[in-house]
Amino acid sequence: MPGLVHVTTTINGNQTDFLCEPRQSLLECLRDVVGMTGSKEGCNDGNCGACTVNLDGRIVTSCLVLGVEAQGAEVNTIEGVASAEGLHPIQQSFLENAALQCGICTPGFIVAAKALLEAEPDADEARIRHWLAGNLCRCTGYDKIVRAVIDAGERMRA
Amino acid sequence: MTTANQVLSEVEYEVVGKRPVRPDGVDKVTGRAQYGADLELTGLLHARVLRSPHAHARINSIDTSRAEALAGVRAVVTAADLPFAALSREDLSNDYNRFKFLSDNFLASDKALYRGHAVAAVAAENAHIAEAALDLIDVDYEVLEPVIDVRAAMQDGAPLLHDDLVHTSAMGEISDKPSNVASYMKFDKGDTAAGFANSDVIVEREFTTASVHQGYIEPHNATAHWRADGQINIWCSTQGAFVVRANTADVLRIDVSSVRVTPMEIGGGFGGKVTFYLEPVAALLSRKAGAPVKVLMSRTEVFEGSGPAPGSWMRVKMGADSAGKITAAEIELAFEAGAYPGSPVMQGATCAFACYELENGTVEGYDVVVNKPKTAAYRAPGSPQAAFGVEQVVDELCQKLGVDPVEFRLNNTVTEGSRKVEGPVFQKIGLVECLEAARNHEHYRSPLEGSNRGRGIAAGFWMNRGFHSSVNMTVNPDGTVNLIEGSVDIGGSRASIAQQAAETLGIAYDEIKPQVVDTDSIGFTMVTGGSRTTFATGWAAILAAEDVKQQMVQRAASIWDVPVEDVEYDGGEIRHKSEELSFTFKDLARQLYTTGGGITGTASLDPTGEGNSFGVHLVDVEVDPETGKTEVLRYTAIQDAGKAVHPSYVEGQIQGGAVQGIGWALNEEYYFGDNGQMMNSSFLDYRMPTSLDLPMIDTVIVEVANPGHPYGVRGVGEVPIVPPLAAVANAVGHATNQRLTSLPITPGSVLEATL
């Protein structure tokens, strides 16, 4: 049994300390150690995007990042997208555009889309399709997701 | 933005047909929705499953002692822990094979029949220990030759999966020796040979389709707690909690009332979570360990140990006369069942020619076991494969006759009163309206320009199902209504069921609070599948709402002290027919507790009249002559929904089904090595469509009201996956002047056909 490592990180703006094994992924640490289960495991090898989180301003599949790599980093997850004031425009747009069916891929899509729109709120369909190609959805055929992200961009520009 | 999606409505309602936000939406966009893997319980152990590395092997022995000795391991189970192990052939008599197959697919006893077949499981203090323990289980395998192709499996001398599997033919004859053919069926109508003799054009081709996976993003998971008092609690990802309850009780030989199943939120299923794999294993581990146990599949386990939809071989022959009328049609289908009998070949057979008025037709089907995972339902099971063959042959008939493919289909379409080859007669259906919508659509009317491009069209059918559903509805003192249902919500059904309840009660949509509950808390409800949920559970909600209305009328009559016949319920108001007495729903709700108590409406039903669904898809593709890669340029899907209760989620079903079909047509396949091992069991190598591979999927919802439902609803989830395989193949065929008869249509197969 390997020894546990003490990790100090910032999750959704809050300083968080946790103990993990060196082999544990950030996804595992978030879900099983910290108890934040909003990030989902669909493949555990970086191909589905359901575990997408924002690490120091860059989106990553958290199943391919080690928990110890979060030391000193800023981690932003789906749990930090809404605020006390209410839903983020992307979340509202996903709801109103029926951009989810089963919902398991939704956290990853929202975290990924937020990173895009914060940098490029006027991203067009082609750009959005390219950006979201790392997130698999099996229910929607992507149509309503892409429309929701376009719509969210309009809301964020307004 | 919505111009890409049209709804051609016959009837308008207040709530049904609107697009409200789904009740479970906020939890799902904030990461708070509780899926099975998210569950945490006090003292929870974590389990992993050991799976056969061989596609076909006899299991001589399993030694778990080293695993049991590992620190942190709390329980190990094998097939020896299942009741089947203690039962003899005499005990089970005629039920022997059925029960053995059921039991063995949870944990293999004498043979492993596919790579990925579960042979043992370990529960430990954490998943890493459980995984390490799997390596310490010693299984003595005697490796046998596998057979993974359906035609090879049907040959004399093929390796046999089951030593005693015999089948009964359509004529009632029992085969004289065991084979891999589990069943054979044949249907006839008219005189097929005479029909072909009267045809001017005949097309006959063979087709194959590869095994494909349902591809839900959430892997299978189950948590079980076998309590000290014998009660088993199960939390899992399933399309049907009552199916999990029944089959768990069956395989463990206990009463159904000993099992309570709580369906967690489900991360996709598409039919693949009607079947289940982990729940009894988790229960056995829990009994041994005396603690709750959670078991999760990895993505590789999902590919190798669950699903898939069957690979198939088909021969299709169709004839038409010079006037463009089909004179005869026949199809032979052989479907891979996987390791145990039960492919959807019957459904494939009954869907194959469902779009065409046939005087003469013959349909034959074979259910064949092969060394692959036992196939599971996948959206309109069997119908997409059959349509892949039939719709291409129809397209070729049109080419030979020089007729427009929509006109040809209109000329041969089924309508109310048409009789299918296997017997049933259609009620009111909407295929003509779908074909007319296709003909009138701007997509079909604009010419396709550019080289290496082709346009394809195909139709599809699914029969839809009714089955049991139950709903309870309780009126709250603030005028809202709790709606309790047993149908797990896989894509917006809380909304579509609440809408029907609100419509019936004449109150606002957001006054209805739907909740999906466990098997102890609601009456029997069949799976969320077969395009039945919005139809049947929606209908249960309508009946429960009618029950509430009747009780509200009775209560008003008793408050006013007037005969109940003098009181009526009208659009959310309860009023006296002649006097100036009335309550709004809210007013009366507020008084219920002080005027005789609360009101609960209930309904359980098993409706028939589900109403069949048809769809017509149009697709434009461009094929790169250098690489053979096919790009989808434009896609339009047209479907009769009867009445779209929530048009956005109907569009979503259509778009999602169409894209799964595009993946099936162009990308997806189980790729096997020589020894029957799946070589591409990851999302990197089993490539499902991404957002980058696709255009928008335009939709037209046609509404030909189903006379078998109060609001005219037909199921919508299945049929959209039926036409795309053939529509894409027809489009590629026109772009390349070659018929592509094997799926998937990969760049390699296109180059092979064209170079």
Side-chain angles (χ1 to χ4, degrees), chain B residues 175-422:
Chain B
S175 58
D176 53 1
K177 59 178 182 181
S179 77
N180 293 320
V181 178
S183 65
Y184 166 74
M185 66 207 66
K186 183 174 183 179
F187 306 109
D188 259 320
K189 181 186 176 187
D191 183 337
T192 305
F196 282 122
N198 291 332
S199 61
D200 297 305
V201 186
I202 290 177
V203 174
E204 180 174 8
R205 283 190 183 274
E206 291 183 20
F207 299 90
T208 60
T209 71
S211 300
V212 295
H213 199 273
Q214 293 79 352
Y216 30 82
I217 305 300
E218 179 206 31
H220 292 268
N221 59 74
T223 302
H225 185 206
W226 197 314
R227 284 193 330 213
D229 61 2
Q231 173 74 33
I232 304 174
N233 288 327
I234 292 172
W235 300 261
C236 59
S237 175
T238 177
Q239 290 176 244
F242 283 90
V243 175
V244 174
R245 182 179 79 159
N247 285 3
T248 299
D250 186 6
V251 77
L252 297 178
R253 297 229 135 188
I254 53 176
D255 296 330
V256 288
S257 59
S258 302
V259 183
R260 184 182 72 172
V261 179
T262 303
M264 304 296 286
E265 294 300 335
I266 179 171
F270 316 109
K273 288 179 184 165
V274 168
T275 312
F276 67 108
Y277 306 90
L278 302 171
E279 287 77 351
V281 178
L284 289 172
L285 286 167
S286 173
R287 183 174 59 178
K288 268 198 177 174
V293 171
K294 176 156 79 175
V295 56
L296 309 179
M297 280 196 196
S298 68
R299 179 53 52 184
T300 293
E301 289 179 279
V302 171
F303 276 117
E304 294 189 340
S306 80
S312 68
W313 170 89
M314 288 163 290
R315 183 186 58 82
V316 184
K317 181 180 177 185
M318 295 179 80
D321 62 23
S322 55
K325 279 280 183 195
I326 297 171
T327 54
E330 65 182 31
I331 185 167
E332 226 183 314
L333 312 100
F335 276 21
E336 294 169 359
Y340 302 100
S343 80
V345 69
M346 171 69 104
Q347 292 95 312
T350 57
C351 290
F353 295 125
C355 295
Y356 300 98
E357 180 75 56
L358 286 186
E359 276 183 36
N360 309 298
T362 303
V363 173
E364 288 178 274
Y366 300 87
D367 183 37
V368 185
V369 294
V370 295
N371 291 112
K372 293 182 180 178
K374 177 175 174 5
T375 55
Y378 181 21
R379 221 167 186 155
S383 190
Q385 293 96 325
F388 174 64
V390 170
E391 291 296 302
Q392 282 208 76
V393 167
V394 167
D395 195 63
E396 209 170 341
L397 282 176
C398 295
Q399 286 179 304
K400 291 200 168 178
L401 290 163
V403 297
D404 175 88
V406 174
E407 295 301 333
F408 180 86
R409 286 176 172 84
L410 278 166
N411 198 20
N412 289 284
T413 183
V414 283
T415 54
E416 187 172 355
S418 297
R419 189 169 74 78
K420 293 173 71 196
V421 175
E422 78 281 9

